Amino acid sequence: MKEKLEQIRKITKEKIKDLKSMQELTDLKAKVLGKKGELTEILRGMKDLSAEERPIIGSMVNKVRDEIEDAIKEAQQNIEQALINKKLEEEKIDITLPSVKIKRGSKHPINRVIEEIEDLFVSMGYDVISGPELETDEYCFERLNLPKGHPARDMQDSFYITNEYLLRTQTSSVQARTMMANKNCEPIRMICTGKTYRREDDATHSHQFNQVEGLVIDKKERNVSLADLKGTLEVFVRKLIGENSRLRFRPSYFPFTEPSYEVDVNCFKCGGKGCNLCKETGWIEILGAGIVHPNVLKMNGYDPEKFGGFAFGTGIDRLAMFKYGITDMRYLYTNDIRFLNQFDRKD
Amino acid sequence: MKLSKNFVKDYIDVDVDLKTLAEDMTRVGNEYDSAQKLIDATDLVIGKVIDCVNHPDSDHLHVCKVDVGTEVLNIVCGAPNVRKGLKVIVAKAGAHLPGGIIIKKSNIRGQESNGMLCSIQELGIEHKFLKEEDIDGIHELPEDAPIGGDPIKFMELDDEVIDFELTANRGDLLSILGMAYEIGAIYDKKVKEIDLSHTENGEDINNKFKVDIQTDNCSMFLAKKIENLTIMESPTFIKNRLIASGIRPINNVVDISNYVMLETGQPLHFYDADRLGNMIRVRMAEENEELTTLDGIKRNLSKNDIVIANSQKAIGLAGVMGGLDTEVENTTKNIIIEAAIFDSVKVRITSKKILRSEASNRFEKGLDPNRTYMAIERACNLLEKYANAKIITGIVKYDKTKKDDREIYIKYENINSVLGINIPKEEVLKVFERLGFKYVENGDEVKVIVPRRRLDISIKEDLIEEVGRIYGLDNIEGKLPLIEMRKGSCDNTLREIRNKMVSLGLNETLTYVLINENDVKKYTLDKFDELRLLDPITEERNVLRYSLIPSLVKVYEYNVARNIKDVSIFELGKGFYKKEEYGENLKLCCLMTGDYILDIKNKKKVDFYVIKGIAEEILNYLGYENRYSFINNKEIPKEFHPGQTGIISVNNDDVGIIGRLHPSIFKDDVYVLEINLDKLLEKKVGKMKFKEISKYPRIQKDLAIVAKNEIESSKIEKEIKRTAGKLLVDIVPFDVYYGKGIDKDKRSIAYSLTFETIDRTLTDEEINGMLNKIIEDLENKLDVSVRKE
């Protein structure tokens, strides 16, 4: 019996080494360990053994069975692993083939710049206010110290719908609206962005363009001054154009501010040395600004003896062109998909 | 305004170079367009043609020997007027001429040529300024021109010009004197006196000549008589200064009127006295009154035009253009000088209609009445000197103007608080002195007496600007306003919609609001009056858009024409209308065509359900889930596919349209979506809030329904939902089948139903019972059957 056991052990272990599939493994397991298996046979034959022999053989059988079971378990793991490996091997793909092309949208460059400007001013405590694009002569001109017949109206040749209604030539109309809406004469800190329209169309002027307008009004004792205006615009220009930007204020004339200034920034192409972009002057005109004209305050319900402040405005189209290096203004409005697709990522 | 440096130097010492002057003027608020020499050329020399023979191989060229003092040059010249003995302008080899031309040694048909003989035009003088004899040939210098000398100096063309772009309020700078004051303020120099001296003769004009002013639009009118003029060519300096200022020289008398206008800013008009008669009247024109102006054109006037008339008829358009009948001609002997001030707005309106001139520009910007007198006297001075004129005693005057200077009181503290710096009192007063403003000190305040010439200064803020700009704005340090801290506000809805659309893979466009009238009523059945521009730039864009769809269709057409076939775009913008009132609505518009998912293997062509998905994404994102429907039994605009278009309805209110554009108009499958955001967003949405989630598993069941094609899926879903009640948490149609086993006019729709409850595990019996109830209800209420597997 001992010999028989030893033989079973030896042969079975040989067979286990040659196992190739789960089926073979199951068959072998049944043949040795199953109900009619070889080891079971031996256990069954133990009843014929003497009382002395029985425990000895019994423990031998158990030992052989444990050994075989372990070997089978190990073989099983090996086979399973081989199967997984085979499957993985079969599933190998060429990861350099193209992905599923999920369309990536894009935001128009002008609106990107508008959002950037709005975020900046909101962070400085300004309210973003919007107003109508179809505006009345009253809000677009008269309340801004531009009475009918004023020569400065020529600077802003307009698209009229009737004698009274026109497409706004400037976002400044929202200044008047904001002041008029503020019946209690609270201090104002606001910007307005949006479309504006003028009756001109050439290589450097589009009849439709975008502006941002800012207005700060506070009590006289707070002394909102030209220096504050300069500091505010420095923050604006440094954020939008570059940290090394310097400003130059040039006196100018706008009916709604007095004093009025045109504001230049040092040329970002040449840094101020002079080049074709800045027409060899080193400066690029970028903003109009000034101290709110007392007539404008008065006409919109604020007492110029008690309140004062500044206003500024600039064209966004040109800023967007500078920022992204867009070479021709017309690209902004033709909406070529190849153009739009270039503004499809975080900046 | 073109500023001749030589001209202004008559009145102020300028010892900086041109570029510095231009930049310094810019700093005080006077921008310039260009600053350059009148003749921008090098290596020019006066030469004498000592020999001139015909070129052996040409029928028009000449071979010349030209003595330029240091040497004799061989030069080939094609001008018809070149001849032996002529004094000429020689551009030597290496010379730079305007327009980037460089003269090189060359060989012209076998003859050596070491330079060029120049015409005036080649020196950069515009064609309109040329005299007749200068048009076709080289310039002929007079006999006394020194050989080897500088021809530019000799011709007194050695001037420099700055072309300023002045602001609308600085009418005072439209004069050499005004410029002199400005330059004087910058460099702290005094302006020199203008020479007005002349002798008056004969009987006072007031005895023989009258002016009759019949309109308030003329506040001042001066008339002066001049006799015995000699009309001839102007002296060189007058001609050259006119040319440098952009005005064409004509003859001494006409030139002097322009010269005085340039000096003083006051336009003058000269009438032929013998044809004028003995009176001048200023009145408004009659409606349709006729007048032939200087340029020979017969003008039809309106009652808004100011006219100058004699006893019979209109003889000139005030401030704009004189009449032909009383024009100064070569035979004119006696003239009446007019120096007047007309209403700036009226002149502006008339000149806009007729002609914008140097004169009208000055009237529009406003004039200093003191200069009106000055101009008359200056003209007398020059006419006496350069036209041998006899100046008749007296001036006929009509004068309702204020000539006194303005007095403005201002506190020093006020100046500093507006500018945000601390300028000492002495510096402030110094600025006023430099500007030529008198002042009276009074403690912490100063009274400033602003001369009349500075029409732009009327309030203290104007003075603050003056102090700032002359003191120097670069001295102001930027700082941030000291104001109450608070968070700014911004309505981000628009931005969130934009971000959502971008994340759905669409490109944002920005198109023009102005479109063509033929497109404005398309893609909509709404009733409104279109908004038409009174004065469009082009008829292509003559109305304001109502819908954004025409604009996006144009973008689609643009791209498709460039072979870009996958177009998925959107825009947020306004549409305009007049219904009862004028109004505008914010709209979201989207256009899709071509492929939505782009890679070759997984291509997904845009169809109705793709754009419907976009619409639902936006509506769900904005919080309108379960509140909208797409309705297709309403009338739709004819530009849409009748079978693939729906009205978007939220809470039973139409807010937009979605569908395919009509295939007979568009050869591609083009889908659009437009939502009136103003209308949509006024429907309130609750705050986002957490709902308890079930701890028990959900159960999913499928149900296939066979229904007639005209029974919409939404109707079936609605019925299922009604029966199932709260247990049913989701229902999704996942397959639509036509064909084998199904009647021809029917289809089978498979729905996936998800059941869930918050408080217990659902049992199979309960769900099966529910399904049976659903089937029963469906079959009873709708003409449908449930498909058995």
Side-chain angles (χ1 to χ4, degrees), chain A residues 239-272:
Chain A
K239 173 74 172 55
L240 238 28
I241 292 177
E243 282 305 318
N244 296 323
S245 300
R246 280 176 290 117
L247 291 183
R248 176 174 82 166
F249 274 55
R250 263 185 302 107
S252 187
Y253 171 66
F254 309 113
F256 22 90
T257 47
E258 185 64 45
S260 300
Y261 300 95
E262 275 175 339
V263 184
D264 300 334
V265 62
N266 55 318
C267 179
F268 26 83
K269 190 172 166 194
C270 64

Short mmCIF file of all heavy atoms in Angstrom, two decimals, chain A residues 239-272:
data_model
loop_
_atom_site.label_atom_id
_atom_site.label_comp_id
_atom_site.label_asym_id
_atom_site.label_seq_id
_atom_site.Cartn_x
_atom_site.Cartn_y
_atom_site.Cartn_z
N LYS A 239 -2.05 94.18 -16.73
CA LYS A 239 -2.69 92.87 -16.74
C LYS A 239 -2.93 92.42 -18.18
O LYS A 239 -2.70 91.27 -18.54
CB LYS A 239 -4.03 92.96 -15.99
CG LYS A 239 -4.90 91.73 -16.06
CD LYS A 239 -4.32 90.62 -15.16
CE LYS A 239 -5.24 89.43 -15.01
NZ LYS A 239 -5.68 88.79 -16.20
N LEU A 240 -3.41 93.34 -18.99
CA LEU A 240 -3.85 92.94 -20.34
C LEU A 240 -2.72 92.88 -21.36
O LEU A 240 -2.73 92.06 -22.26
CB LEU A 240 -4.90 93.94 -20.83
CG LEU A 240 -6.25 93.40 -21.19
CD1 LEU A 240 -6.63 92.17 -20.47
CD2 LEU A 240 -7.30 94.42 -20.98
N ILE A 241 -1.75 93.74 -21.21
CA ILE A 241 -0.71 93.82 -22.23
C ILE A 241 0.61 93.29 -21.74
O ILE A 241 1.30 92.58 -22.46
CB ILE A 241 -0.59 95.26 -22.76
CG1 ILE A 241 -1.86 95.61 -23.53
CG2 ILE A 241 0.62 95.41 -23.67
CD1 ILE A 241 -1.93 97.01 -24.04
N GLY A 242 0.97 93.59 -20.52
CA GLY A 242 2.23 93.06 -20.03
C GLY A 242 2.72 93.85 -18.84
O GLY A 242 2.46 95.05 -18.74
N GLU A 243 3.44 93.16 -17.96
CA GLU A 243 3.88 93.77 -16.71
C GLU A 243 4.82 94.95 -16.92
O GLU A 243 4.97 95.80 -16.06
CB GLU A 243 4.57 92.71 -15.82
CG GLU A 243 3.58 91.80 -15.10
CD GLU A 243 2.54 92.56 -14.25
OE1 GLU A 243 2.93 93.53 -13.58
OE2 GLU A 243 1.36 92.20 -14.31
N ASN A 244 5.46 95.00 -18.09
CA ASN A 244 6.43 96.08 -18.29
C ASN A 244 5.81 97.32 -18.93
O ASN A 244 6.51 98.22 -19.37
CB ASN A 244 7.58 95.59 -19.16
CG ASN A 244 8.35 94.50 -18.47
OD1 ASN A 244 8.51 94.54 -17.26
ND2 ASN A 244 8.78 93.50 -19.23
N SER A 245 4.49 97.34 -18.98
CA SER A 245 3.85 98.46 -19.67
C SER A 245 4.00 99.76 -18.88
O SER A 245 3.85 99.78 -17.66
CB SER A 245 2.37 98.17 -19.85
OG SER A 245 2.21 96.99 -20.61
N ARG A 246 4.29 100.81 -19.61
CA ARG A 246 4.31 102.16 -19.02
C ARG A 246 3.27 102.99 -19.76
O ARG A 246 2.97 102.75 -20.92
CB ARG A 246 5.69 102.80 -19.23
CG ARG A 246 6.74 102.33 -18.25
CD ARG A 246 8.10 102.93 -18.58
NE ARG A 246 8.65 102.35 -19.80
CZ ARG A 246 8.90 103.05 -20.91
NH1 ARG A 246 8.65 104.35 -20.95
NH2 ARG A 246 9.38 102.47 -21.99
N LEU A 247 2.72 103.97 -19.07
CA LEU A 247 1.69 104.79 -19.68
C LEU A 247 2.18 106.21 -19.90
O LEU A 247 2.99 106.73 -19.15
CB LEU A 247 0.45 104.84 -18.78
CG LEU A 247 -0.34 103.56 -18.64
CD1 LEU A 247 -1.57 103.81 -17.78
CD2 LEU A 247 -0.78 103.03 -20.00
N ARG A 248 1.66 106.81 -20.95
CA ARG A 248 1.88 108.23 -21.17
C ARG A 248 0.53 108.90 -21.37
O ARG A 248 -0.26 108.46 -22.20
CB ARG A 248 2.75 108.45 -22.42
CG ARG A 248 2.94 109.93 -22.74
CD ARG A 248 3.92 110.14 -23.88
NE ARG A 248 3.27 109.96 -25.18
CZ ARG A 248 3.83 110.34 -26.33
NH1 ARG A 248 5.03 110.89 -26.34
NH2 ARG A 248 3.20 110.16 -27.47
N PHE A 249 0.26 109.93 -20.61
CA PHE A 249 -0.99 110.68 -20.74
C PHE A 249 -0.74 111.87 -21.65
O PHE A 249 0.19 112.64 -21.43
CB PHE A 249 -1.47 111.18 -19.38
CG PHE A 249 -2.28 110.17 -18.63
CD1 PHE A 249 -1.78 108.90 -18.39
CD2 PHE A 249 -3.55 110.48 -18.17
CE1 PHE A 249 -2.54 107.96 -17.71
CE2 PHE A 249 -4.32 109.55 -17.49
CZ PHE A 249 -3.81 108.29 -17.25
N ARG A 250 -1.57 112.01 -22.65
CA ARG A 250 -1.50 113.18 -23.53
C ARG A 250 -2.80 113.94 -23.43
O ARG A 250 -3.86 113.34 -23.57
CB ARG A 250 -1.33 112.73 -24.97
CG ARG A 250 0.08 112.72 -25.48
CD ARG A 250 0.12 112.39 -26.94
NE ARG A 250 -0.48 111.10 -27.26
CZ ARG A 250 -1.63 110.95 -27.87
NH1 ARG A 250 -2.33 111.99 -28.26
NH2 ARG A 250 -2.10 109.74 -28.12
N PRO A 251 -2.77 115.24 -23.20
CA PRO A 251 -4.03 115.98 -23.13
C PRO A 251 -4.79 115.82 -24.44
O PRO A 251 -4.19 115.78 -25.51
CB PRO A 251 -3.59 117.42 -22.95
CG PRO A 251 -2.19 117.35 -22.49
CD PRO A 251 -1.60 116.10 -23.05
N SER A 252 -6.09 115.71 -24.33
CA SER A 252 -6.89 115.58 -25.55
C SER A 252 -8.23 116.23 -25.29
O SER A 252 -8.36 117.01 -24.36
CB SER A 252 -7.04 114.10 -25.91
OG SER A 252 -7.68 114.00 -27.16
N TYR A 253 -9.20 115.88 -26.08
CA TYR A 253 -10.49 116.51 -25.91
C TYR A 253 -11.61 115.52 -26.13
O TYR A 253 -11.71 114.90 -27.19
CB TYR A 253 -10.64 117.66 -26.92
CG TYR A 253 -12.03 118.23 -26.97
CD1 TYR A 253 -12.55 118.89 -25.87
CD2 TYR A 253 -12.82 118.08 -28.10
CE1 TYR A 253 -13.84 119.39 -25.90
CE2 TYR A 253 -14.10 118.59 -28.15
CZ TYR A 253 -14.61 119.24 -27.04
OH TYR A 253 -15.89 119.73 -27.07
N PHE A 254 -12.40 115.30 -25.10
CA PHE A 254 -13.68 114.60 -25.22
C PHE A 254 -14.70 115.45 -24.50
O PHE A 254 -14.40 115.98 -23.43
CB PHE A 254 -13.62 113.21 -24.56
CG PHE A 254 -12.46 112.38 -25.01
CD1 PHE A 254 -11.45 112.06 -24.12
CD2 PHE A 254 -12.35 111.94 -26.32
CE1 PHE A 254 -10.36 111.31 -24.52
CE2 PHE A 254 -11.26 111.20 -26.73
CZ PHE A 254 -10.27 110.88 -25.83
N PRO A 255 -15.87 115.58 -25.04
CA PRO A 255 -16.85 116.48 -24.42
C PRO A 255 -17.29 116.00 -23.03
O PRO A 255 -17.72 116.80 -22.22
CB PRO A 255 -18.03 116.45 -25.39
CG PRO A 255 -17.46 115.94 -26.67
CD PRO A 255 -16.35 115.03 -26.30
N PHE A 256 -17.18 114.70 -22.75
CA PHE A 256 -17.72 114.19 -21.47
C PHE A 256 -16.72 114.20 -20.34
O PHE A 256 -17.05 113.84 -19.23
CB PHE A 256 -18.35 112.81 -21.64
CG PHE A 256 -17.85 112.04 -22.83
CD1 PHE A 256 -16.76 111.21 -22.74
CD2 PHE A 256 -18.48 112.19 -24.06
CE1 PHE A 256 -16.31 110.52 -23.84
CE2 PHE A 256 -18.03 111.50 -25.17
CZ PHE A 256 -16.94 110.67 -25.06
N THR A 257 -15.47 114.56 -20.64
CA THR A 257 -14.48 114.66 -19.55
C THR A 257 -13.73 115.97 -19.67
O THR A 257 -13.59 116.53 -20.76
CB THR A 257 -13.47 113.50 -19.61
OG1 THR A 257 -13.01 113.35 -20.95
CG2 THR A 257 -14.07 112.20 -19.13
N GLU A 258 -13.24 116.45 -18.56
CA GLU A 258 -12.43 117.66 -18.52
C GLU A 258 -11.65 117.65 -17.22
O GLU A 258 -12.28 117.70 -16.17
CB GLU A 258 -13.31 118.91 -18.64
CG GLU A 258 -12.53 120.21 -18.72
CD GLU A 258 -11.68 120.28 -19.98
OE1 GLU A 258 -12.18 119.94 -21.06
OE2 GLU A 258 -10.50 120.65 -19.86
N PRO A 259 -10.36 117.58 -17.22
CA PRO A 259 -9.49 117.39 -18.38
C PRO A 259 -9.69 116.02 -19.05
O PRO A 259 -10.12 115.08 -18.41
CB PRO A 259 -8.08 117.46 -17.78
CG PRO A 259 -8.22 117.93 -16.38
CD PRO A 259 -9.61 117.65 -15.96
N SER A 260 -9.31 115.97 -20.33
CA SER A 260 -9.39 114.72 -21.10
C SER A 260 -7.99 114.30 -21.54
O SER A 260 -7.14 115.15 -21.78
CB SER A 260 -10.23 114.93 -22.35
OG SER A 260 -11.54 115.33 -22.03
N TYR A 261 -7.82 113.01 -21.65
CA TYR A 261 -6.50 112.51 -22.05
C TYR A 261 -6.61 111.36 -23.02
O TYR A 261 -7.52 110.56 -22.94
CB TYR A 261 -5.71 112.05 -20.81
CG TYR A 261 -5.50 113.18 -19.84
CD1 TYR A 261 -6.37 113.36 -18.77
CD2 TYR A 261 -4.49 114.10 -20.04
CE1 TYR A 261 -6.23 114.45 -17.92
CE2 TYR A 261 -4.34 115.19 -19.19
CZ TYR A 261 -5.21 115.36 -18.14
OH TYR A 261 -5.07 116.43 -17.32
N GLU A 262 -5.63 111.30 -23.89
CA GLU A 262 -5.42 110.07 -24.64
C GLU A 262 -4.25 109.40 -23.96
O GLU A 262 -3.30 110.07 -23.55
CB GLU A 262 -5.11 110.37 -26.11
CG GLU A 262 -6.40 110.53 -26.88
CD GLU A 262 -6.23 110.95 -28.32
OE1 GLU A 262 -5.17 111.51 -28.66
OE2 GLU A 262 -7.16 110.74 -29.09
N VAL A 263 -4.36 108.10 -23.82
CA VAL A 263 -3.34 107.39 -23.06
C VAL A 263 -2.58 106.46 -24.00
O VAL A 263 -3.18 105.68 -24.72
CB VAL A 263 -3.98 106.60 -21.91
CG1 VAL A 263 -2.91 105.95 -21.06
CG2 VAL A 263 -4.85 107.52 -21.05
N ASP A 264 -1.26 106.60 -23.98
CA ASP A 264 -0.40 105.76 -24.80
C ASP A 264 0.28 104.73 -23.92
O ASP A 264 0.54 104.98 -22.75
CB ASP A 264 0.71 106.59 -25.47
CG ASP A 264 0.15 107.68 -26.36
OD1 ASP A 264 -0.96 107.52 -26.87
OD2 ASP A 264 0.86 108.69 -26.55
N VAL A 265 0.56 103.58 -24.50
CA VAL A 265 1.35 102.58 -23.80
C VAL A 265 2.64 102.42 -24.59
O VAL A 265 2.64 102.57 -25.82
CB VAL A 265 0.57 101.26 -23.65
CG1 VAL A 265 0.24 100.65 -25.00
CG2 VAL A 265 1.33 100.26 -22.81
N ASN A 266 3.74 102.14 -23.90
CA ASN A 266 4.99 101.96 -24.63
C ASN A 266 4.85 100.77 -25.58
O ASN A 266 4.26 99.76 -25.24
CB ASN A 266 6.18 101.76 -23.68
CG ASN A 266 5.97 100.62 -22.71
OD1 ASN A 266 4.89 100.46 -22.17
ND2 ASN A 266 6.97 99.82 -22.52
N CYS A 267 5.37 100.94 -26.77
CA CYS A 267 5.15 99.96 -27.84
C CYS A 267 5.61 98.57 -27.40
O CYS A 267 6.74 98.38 -26.98
CB CYS A 267 5.90 100.40 -29.09
SG CYS A 267 5.70 99.25 -30.45
N PHE A 268 4.70 97.59 -27.49
CA PHE A 268 5.03 96.25 -27.01
C PHE A 268 5.79 95.46 -28.05
O PHE A 268 6.25 94.36 -27.77
CB PHE A 268 3.78 95.49 -26.57
CG PHE A 268 2.54 95.94 -27.24
CD1 PHE A 268 2.21 95.46 -28.48
CD2 PHE A 268 1.72 96.88 -26.63
CE1 PHE A 268 1.07 95.89 -29.11
CE2 PHE A 268 0.58 97.33 -27.25
CZ PHE A 268 0.24 96.83 -28.49
N LYS A 269 5.91 96.02 -29.24
CA LYS A 269 6.70 95.31 -30.26
C LYS A 269 8.18 95.68 -30.10
O LYS A 269 9.04 94.81 -30.08
CB LYS A 269 6.21 95.69 -31.65
CG LYS A 269 6.79 94.82 -32.74
CD LYS A 269 6.12 95.09 -34.07
CE LYS A 269 6.92 94.49 -35.21
NZ LYS A 269 6.47 95.03 -36.50
N CYS A 270 8.45 96.98 -29.94
CA CYS A 270 9.84 97.40 -29.88
C CYS A 270 10.23 97.84 -28.47
O CYS A 270 11.39 98.14 -28.21
CB CYS A 270 10.09 98.56 -30.86
SG CYS A 270 9.17 100.05 -30.44
N GLY A 271 9.27 97.88 -27.57
CA GLY A 271 9.57 98.27 -26.20
C GLY A 271 9.72 99.77 -26.01
O GLY A 271 10.01 100.24 -24.93
N GLY A 272 9.55 100.53 -27.08
CA GLY A 272 9.63 101.98 -26.95
C GLY A 272 10.75 102.59 -27.77
O GLY A 272 10.94 103.80 -27.78
#
